[in-house]
Amino acid sequence: MSVTMDDPIKRWTAKRKTALVVEIIQGKTTVAEASRSYDLSPSEIEGWVEDAKRGMECPLNLLD
C-alpha cells in the first residue's frame, strides 16, 4: 500500500514522513506549506529532509 499525503494523518510514521519529504524534494510543496497544512514546525520538517539527504549519501557513494 502506498502512502499519499491525502491520507488522514493519525501519527507521523516513517512512511508518511518519507512521502512528505519526497513531495518537498520534488517541488510539489514547500516546508512552509507543509508546516501550515499539517501543523508541524518548519524545523521539524527540515530535520526530516536533512535526515533523508544524509540517508541518501551512503548508497550513492557506493556508485562511485
Side-chain angles (χ1 to χ4, degrees), residues 2-63:
S2 73
V3 175
T4 67
M5 296 315 299
D6 296 330
D7 297 337
I9 306 296
K10 294 178 184 146
R11 73 181 192 91
W12 283 93
T13 63
K15 285 185 180 184
R16 286 191 175 96
K17 290 176 186 177
T18 301
L20 180 57
V21 167
V22 166
E23 287 190 1
I24 291 168
I25 290 172
Q26 291 177 338
K28 294 180 180 178
T29 192
T30 65
V31 170
E33 290 170 344
S35 175
R36 286 189 300 271
S37 296
Y38 301 109
D39 196 29
L40 297 167
S41 71
S43 63
E44 184 172 19
I45 298 170
E46 288 166 353
W48 297 347
V49 172
E50 289 305 312
D51 289 345
K53 288 178 181 177
R54 276 193 301 274
M56 289 188 291
E57 286 177 18
C58 184
L60 292 174
N61 285 336
L62 296 175
L63 299 175

